Amino acid sequence: MRSYYEQYSVEWDSVEIEKMTRELMNFDILFEGEPVGIIRLSFDDEGCHLRDLQVDERYQNRGIGSRALAETERLAREADARMIRLKVFKNSPAVNLYKKTGFSVSQEDDRFYYMTRFIF
């Protein structure tokens, strides 16, 4: 994530990010018992907000991100959420994953896509 922040000249404040993430639901992504990523979620009246999904580059393109999104949907359903929302840098390779798994762009700005997937 830091590379995206640097590319867009967004200040990366580790202390502030750590403080913010403590308020989220945080889940490690494990592969063969080893942590390879993280999912961070929050919930509100509108549904589930996928705040962060990161998979170590060495483990990408193995279906881990898709399985993490399936787990996100399971958690959202468990919380009676009707949709999952996220914000992703436009140049992130994750955009393709999100589109492939049913997310659509609901709005955009110069840096981000704001994406939504409804849960039926």
Side-chain angles (χ1 to χ4, degrees), residues 29-64:
I29 299 171
L30 303 178
F31 181 78
E32 296 179 354
E34 296 295 319
V36 299
I38 191 148
I39 303 169
R40 299 183 200 284
L41 305 174
S42 66
F43 293 88
D44 59 24
D45 292 340
E46 294 182 17
C48 175
H49 194 143
L50 177 59
R51 298 289 182 171
D52 197 5
L53 169 57
Q54 293 186 44
V55 176
D56 185 307
E57 287 181 6
R58 298 171 292 175
Y59 294 90
Q60 292 178 3
N61 299 309
R62 297 184 188 196
I64 295 170

Side-chain angles (χ1 to χ4, degrees), residues 2-120:
R2 182 173 290 181
S3 64
Y4 297 115
Y5 279 64
E6 290 171 354
Q7 181 176 352
Y8 286 112
S9 300
V10 176
E11 187 176 321
W12 180 272
D13 184 338
S14 298
V15 173
E16 190 62 31
I17 290 171
E18 182 180 333
K19 180 179 152 189
M20 178 190 68
T21 58
R22 273 189 250 129
E23 299 171 6
L24 303 175
M25 294 179 68
N26 299 286
F27 302 92
D28 289 331
I29 299 171
L30 303 178
F31 181 78
E32 296 179 354
E34 296 295 319
V36 299
I38 191 148
I39 303 169
R40 299 183 200 284
L41 305 174
S42 66
F43 293 88
D44 59 24
D45 292 340
E46 294 182 17
C48 175
H49 194 143
L50 177 59
R51 298 289 182 171
D52 197 5
L53 169 57
Q54 293 186 44
V55 176
D56 185 307
E57 287 181 6
R58 298 171 292 175
Y59 294 90
Q60 292 178 3
N61 299 309
R62 297 184 188 196
I64 295 170
S66 294
R67 288 193 298 269
L69 288 172
E71 179 63 8
T72 298
E73 181 175 338
R74 185 190 72 73
L75 292 165
R77 284 182 190 276
E78 196 173 88
D80 292 324
R82 300 289 179 232
M83 76 168 119
I84 302 171
R85 297 167 314 199
L86 61 87
K87 174 173 77 172
V88 61
F89 282 103
K90 285 183 168 182
N91 64 342
S92 171
V95 170
N96 294 325
L97 170 65
Y98 297 137
K99 287 181 178 179
K100 184 175 80 173
T101 56
F103 283 85
S104 59
V105 175
S106 52
Q107 67 184 90
E108 65 182 274
D109 60 30
D110 59 326
R111 296 184 287 184
F112 296 105
Y113 289 125
Y114 299 83
M115 303 181 82
T116 303
R117 189 175 98 199
F118 289 92
I119 302 171
F120 299 101

